[in-house]
Amino acid sequence: MRVYSLKDQLNNSMMKPKYLSILFIFSGLICVSANLKGQSKLPGSKVSGTVLDEEKKPLDFATISLIKTPDSLLLRTAVSGLDGKYSFESLPVGTYRVNISMVGFTRVRSKEFTIDEGSKVVDLGEIVVPKDSKMLGEIRVLAVKPFIERKIDRLVVNVESSSVSAGSTALEVLQKAPGVTLDQNDNIAMQGKQGVLVMLDGKQTYMSNADVANMLRNMPSTQIETIELITNPSAKYDAAGNSGIINIKTKKSNSVGTNGTVTAGAGMGDHYRANGGLSINHRNKDINLFGNYNYSTREQGQNMIIDRIVASQPATTYFGQTGSFVRDNDNNNFKAGLDIFLNKKNTLGFLVNGYLNSGSEIYNNTTLIGRSFSQTDSSVIAVNNANSRYRNMAYNANYKATLDTSGKELSVDLDYSRYNGNEKTLYDNRFHNANGTIKAPSFIQNRTPSIINIKAVKADYSMPFSKTVKMEAGIKSSWVKTDNDFQFERLVSDSWQNDPGRSNQFIYDENVNAAYVNINKQYKSTSVQLGLRAEQTNSTGNSITTAKEVNRSYIDVFPSVFINQTLSKDHGLGISYSRRIDRPSYDALNPFMFFLDQYTYNQGNPFLNPQYTNNFELSYNYKKTYSLTFNYSLTRDVITEVLLPDTAKKALFQTNENLDKQINYSVNLNAPVSLSKWWSTSNNASVFYLGFRSPDLRGQDLSSGRVALQFNSQHKFVISPSLTGELSGDYTSPIEYGTLKISSQYAVDLGLSKSFMKKKANVKLALSDVFNTRKQTISSAYEGLDYNLVQKNETRIGRLTFTYRFGRGEIKPERRRATGLEDEQRRIKN
């Protein structure tokens, strides 16, 4: 249950598509492709070879870079096949060498070779690539990825390498990511800004913020390989997400033959939790068959206190509210897929994934009412029982073609997703007078059945014009239809009767048609990318019960510019700009009212407008390891979750409003430091200002904001060749977000990781929030509203996780599909 009873619901959409602009762009791409196919290949020769490991076995998925000497210009790259072979065709006259690299192996450089007019085939033969290892005294330390890596356009959190993350959920791991925070309702923010677009393996989740949090809360961390934080995405990505993109990459199994992973874990805090999973992969030269299943069960508690003062005539009223709940969840997540290698250049794929989740919740809430917090004259005792079931199935068919050796590629995705959710909550409210007498109890219940259907089609095309110029272009259309039926009933004379004033059926239809183009130009020390994305949106929100309908149709253009400059071998500079949009989540548009008790409720807003953000970023990196980033963004009509007073009912309610603007300045420093051969650290610090302005928020002027600091530090200790330890800590200073003032938060985590059975088996022991300090204290930044809220989730938890890998250890990744469901599903309830 969310703190202010924000039971997010889904509202479906299916719009009338307007295809003319999309078909025009698509036809243009086809014509360009056909024209280029007719061009003859460059004259030249073929270079080939074979990559082997130290045991003289073929090394697949190694990266082969073709370098032109003596100016060390990178011309092309290739990947070794299942047999370790690679080749480059249509090469002009010149002198070359190849560089071979792969994670966990030493980088190898071939001897120089020359292609002249008489050369037809150059065979470099077999090249052996040894494993990469360093000797630390008598300790052999294998190459290990740092917990946090800074890349040119994103920050990468290597979850798999962290023992602290063992046995956690995806949401708990995400909280440890630099610059990422969650508010009291689990809304995700980066560098203080909400509106984050969350993707799984490049595929958008199509869910509301609350539902994304619920999905991640039910996903075990053992499924995650990395988390990518992209603060300023290019035009290739959907324009949604004003504060950027979080891409969660799940683990993949990837070698010839059969291999997989078995995982089991258990944890204990105030309540228990357990999880188990199996992933398996079978691959040969013709197919790749893969799948995984994960089950988790967990109980989690939360305690909350709200002290509130309502100044009114003839007397001021004091509300002292205490509440606690225990949430019990059982979750089943699964995925299965098939890649068919039609030939070396064409691949056909099918993917199905989904979840079957159920849960229950018992919430006890007591509100004491009086002339002061110590003088009570009445009270309301509420006991809420909720049961929920969520089902989601998503299907994807995809095709990828390599059109020629120069790098022309075409990929197409067809997607369909269907979501079914239902939640039933029973409210038992009992009213006590000062003399102890009890009024007749109030029994109410609500049901929230919802169905969401999503269809999407997208195509992406990439084409190099030359060695230094490349174009990417694509189109996408999506249709979403949500049907959410909020049924509110009262118990009258032992019979449940519908309350038409609070029941509501809300249907939402949305169609988005999009097209984009990116042009990349590589100079000697400068790279430039210019992008343009156009999106046409058609939507209808229809409240059947209240007969209110809101129709919208609009076209937006989203430019982006990226410039990266290599100043010297150790110094680099980057500048970027992008414009983005965030459409209201389906649940935020639904005008229903949801009650925790008669003094605390949530209400949707069907009149929300989309928000638009202009985002500027300047970055500096040193030795491709240390980075300093400056960011400025301005968001208009910012969609903000606000807490406001209901003076007539003396109540506190939560809703979403379009505030005038949000202003954000931030500076981010990422500094991994090796203190010794056995002690390495990864440190990230952000200083930011987040301000909100609205001249008329329910009759008042709002101007809030302050400078804040976020700091995250991870320490890794190599104790022995098979034993590592980890210590991490994070701190967030007080911040202001819209109408909320949020106090500081901090926590410390510990972990140990032990490998055995030739590193096929691993045991991780972790303790999160060692000192049990992580909590939220919230007060009001809205004049005339006086409250203080303290919320404490169950965060100090000990976990034990066992992992066993079977089959081949050197593995080639299954293709990660960035499917067509990339902008809508994040707005669904899970």
Side-chain angles (χ1 to χ4, degrees), residues 7-13 206-208 210-211 355 390-392 419-422 448-453 480-486 505-508 585-590 592 825-830:
K7 295 295 184 181
D8 300 278
Q9 303 196 340
L10 317 172
N11 319 312
N12 311 6
S13 71
Y206 290 85
M207 297 181 181
S208 68
D211 303 324
Y355 54 80
Y390 304 115
R391 304 287 185 266
N392 186 74
Y419 167 93
N420 284 274
N422 196 2
T448 58
S450 55
I451 298 175
I452 300 179
N453 288 289
V480 181
K481 184 177 181 66
T482 76
D483 187 350
N484 191 35
D485 189 7
F486 185 79
Q505 184 179 9
F506 186 76
I507 297 176
Y508 182 75
S585 62
Y586 310 135
D587 60 313
L589 292 167
N590 194 336
F592 77 90
Q825 207 168 18
R826 74 187 175 104
R827 298 152 62 198
I828 298 180
K829 184 172 180 74
N830 182 19

Side-chain angles (χ1 to χ4, degrees), residues 28-39 236 401-411 460-474 516-521:
L29 291 176
I30 293 174
C31 293
V32 172
S33 175
N35 181 55
L36 289 169
K37 280 187 175 182
Q39 297 178 3
K236 183 175 182 178
T402 301
L403 303 179
D404 60 20
T405 57
S406 68
K408 297 189 188 74
E409 290 185 349
L410 173 68
S411 64
D460 295 283
Y461 179 77
S462 64
M463 176 181 64
F465 290 115
S466 67
K467 297 174 184 177
T468 60
V469 180
K470 180 181 179 181
M471 181 194 77
E472 296 176 309
Y516 77 90
V517 61
N518 277 336
I519 300 294
N520 296 271
K521 170 65 176 176

Side-chain angles (χ1 to χ4, degrees), residues 346-400:
N346 296 273
T347 303
L348 182 64
F350 302 93
L351 181 67
V352 57
N353 61 72
Y355 54 80
L356 306 173
N357 299 339
S358 61
S360 63
E361 202 171 84
I362 299 177
Y363 193 94
N364 295 283
N365 185 72
T366 299
T367 302
L368 303 179
I369 308 167
R371 297 181 179 180
S372 69
F373 289 122
S374 60
Q375 292 181 315
T376 301
D377 53 40
S378 61
S379 64
V380 181
I381 299 176
V383 179
N384 305 334
N385 289 273
N387 290 279
S388 58
R389 291 169 61 87
Y390 304 115
R391 304 287 185 266
N392 186 74
M393 295 292 296
Y395 308 90
N396 168 261
N398 56 83
Y399 169 73
K400 182 178 181 179

Side-chain angles (χ1 to χ4, degrees), residues 286-288 338-343 346-350 815:
D286 297 318
I287 66 167
N288 183 38
L338 172 67
D339 290 329
I340 303 173
F341 308 116
L342 303 175
N343 52 46
N346 296 273
T347 303
L348 182 64
F350 302 93
R815 295 187 306 141

Side-chain angles (χ1 to χ4, degrees), residues 289-361:
L289 182 64
F290 56 91
N292 63 58
Y293 168 75
N294 288 275
Y295 170 77
S296 65
T297 180
R298 64 200 302 263
E299 285 188 353
Q300 183 175 16
Q302 181 192 85
N303 296 304
M304 182 188 67
I305 299 173
I306 304 178
D307 290 330
R308 185 162 57 93
I309 303 173
V310 179
S312 61
Q313 296 297 328
T316 298
T317 306
Y318 291 76
F319 294 83
Q321 185 174 342
T322 59
S324 65
F325 76 73
V326 176
R327 179 191 293 126
D328 188 354
N329 291 104
D330 290 288
N331 310 291
N332 301 269
N333 298 271
F334 51 86
K335 178 170 66 176
L338 172 67
D339 290 329
I340 303 173
F341 308 116
L342 303 175
N343 52 46
K344 290 184 177 180
K345 295 184 178 181
N346 296 273
T347 303
L348 182 64
F350 302 93
L351 181 67
V352 57
N353 61 72
Y355 54 80
L356 306 173
N357 299 339
S358 61
S360 63
E361 202 171 84

Side-chain angles (χ1 to χ4, degrees), residues 74-92:
L74 173 63
L75 293 184
R76 299 183 194 173
T77 60
V79 177
S80 59
L82 304 178
D83 53 4
K85 296 184 181 298
Y86 64 90
S87 65
F88 298 97
E89 299 180 0
S90 301
L91 298 179

